[in-house]
Amino acid sequence: MVDTIYSAIEFYGKGDPYFGGTAADWALYKTEDGRHAFMGVAEAQRCKLVMAYFPTAAEAEKAGTAASKRKGLISALPVKLRLEVPTAQISWIVGNKHVGEEDSELAEDFADRARGRARPIRI
């Protein structure tokens, strides 16, 4: 299991915009066509994109440098893994059980699995 994963951030501009500065620090997101792009959170949410994660800091910085259009300072930041979320189980559930099942039932199943109480599989 990977202990740490990394995301890429582009630091650009100087000073807090609230006080007249130009700073705009953006995260690296994975686009619908599989490429990477830096953008603000609001734009990424509007496009329904997820952040790009990498197994090493070097890979995160390399991808960030390649995706940068503003040529800001690229940094790889460690992302704390949330061990209470069973990601492999979630992938399986979404891939195999989501069709025809109510969202509330899936939410309960996720919560039970996070607590270590797997529910019996109904197929």
Side-chain angles (χ1 to χ4, degrees):
M1 177 179 192
V2 176
D3 291 330
T4 305
I5 58 173
Y6 297 87
S7 64
I9 304 292
E10 181 181 36
F11 299 99
Y12 182 80
K14 294 187 186 242
D16 190 326
Y18 185 79
F19 298 104
T22 61
D25 304 336
W26 293 349
L28 187 64
Y29 289 87
K30 188 165 188 155
T31 61
E32 291 175 343
D33 60 4
R35 293 186 289 165
H36 295 108
F38 283 106
M39 63 183 68
V41 174
E43 178 69 10
Q45 287 177 343
R46 187 183 66 72
C47 296
K48 297 181 181 172
L49 302 179
V50 296
M51 283 183 68
Y53 296 106
F54 303 90
T56 66
E59 289 181 59
E61 287 179 10
K62 183 179 177 184
T65 300
S68 178
K69 293 187 180 350
R70 303 184 300 169
K71 303 304 178 203
L73 173 66
I74 307 299
S75 291
L77 301 176
V79 177
K80 182 177 179 191
L81 295 176
R82 295 182 60 191
L83 299 178
E84 71 274 10
V85 178
T87 55
Q89 291 179 19
I90 290 172
S91 295
W92 185 87
I93 292 168
V94 170
N96 295 292
K97 291 181 63 178
H98 72 285
V99 177
E101 195 157 341
E102 294 293 323
D103 288 347
S104 60
E105 290 179 36
L106 286 174
E108 288 175 24
D109 195 356
F110 290 147
D112 287 344
R113 288 171 186 271
R115 291 185 201 101
R117 298 186 306 235
R119 300 166 113 200
I121 298 171
R122 295 182 316 250
I123 298 178

